[in-house]
Structure formats: structure tokens, C-alpha cells
Amino acid sequence: MQLSTSTFRGTSLAAKPAQTMQPRAAVAFQPVRAGQILQGRVVSTHCEKTAVVSCDVLKVHPVYSKRVKKTKKFIVHDEAEVAKVGDIVSLIPTRPLSKRKRFVVESVVKAAK
């Protein structure tokens, strides 16, 4: 295959052969950081393919040495819409899916009564 060359303001530019685009394989949601699996209770499922999960963490107060419960809500992606309000689910981190979605529902640990 012969490549043509051209000059543009004193620089020689070599034409490259045309590359064929390979189709991207469909990839499932891959975890971003290993070991950051969270568990929490589903609070809301009002939006499509989205759930709000509340995760509780016990931390020791630095001055009083008393355990304090901290709660944080995560907006998570639920592709199959398996999570119902009251379920306990495990979450894995993923690439940013929207402004606040950074986790995906991995599985339902315990179903609500």
C-alpha cells in the first residue's frame, strides 16, 4: 500500500490508511473500585430504573467515644427494577451514569415483608 505525503506550512504530513471501526461489545456495569460494596435499605423507587437507598454507618465520636449513626442516601441504577421499598440491597460502584447516580444494584440481600 502506497501512502501519499503532503506538506502543510513546512511539515510533512503522511496520509494514514483508513482504519475500520470495530463495534464495541456490550459491557455489563463494571465495578470501579474493588472492596467498596455497600448495603442499604431501599427508601424510594418512584423513578424508572432508579432507586434511592439509605446506608447506615456507625462511627465513633472523636471526643466522646460514643458510637454515632450516620445515614447517607445514594441514588442507584436498577436496570431490572428488582428492588422494592423496604428491601435490603447490595450496591457496587460504577462509572457516573448521571449527575448523582454512581452505584448499581448488585443483588437483593433480603426482601421486604
Side-chain angles (χ1 to χ4, degrees), residues 21-76:
M21 296 295 293
Q22 298 293 332
R24 296 180 93 182
V27 178
F29 295 104
Q30 296 179 350
V32 176
R33 288 170 287 208
Q36 193 189 6
I37 297 175
L38 300 174
Q39 276 192 354
R41 182 175 304 274
V42 178
V43 178
S44 171
T45 56
H46 287 283
C47 299
E48 291 181 10
K49 298 184 181 181
T50 303
V52 179
V53 177
S54 174
C55 296
D56 296 331
V57 177
L58 285 176
K59 294 202 174 215
V60 178
H61 193 277
V63 175
Y64 302 114
S65 299
K66 182 178 179 177
R67 290 181 294 170
V68 180
K69 182 165 71 167
K70 299 283 184 179
T71 303
K72 183 165 183 178
K73 290 183 181 179
F74 293 98
I75 310 297
V76 300

Side-chain angles (χ1 to χ4, degrees), residues 91-105:
L91 312 175
I92 54 173
T94 185
R95 64 179 177 80
L97 299 173
S98 69
K99 181 179 177 182
R100 296 183 59 201
K101 270 197 215 180
R102 303 293 191 267
F103 287 88
V104 174
V105 173

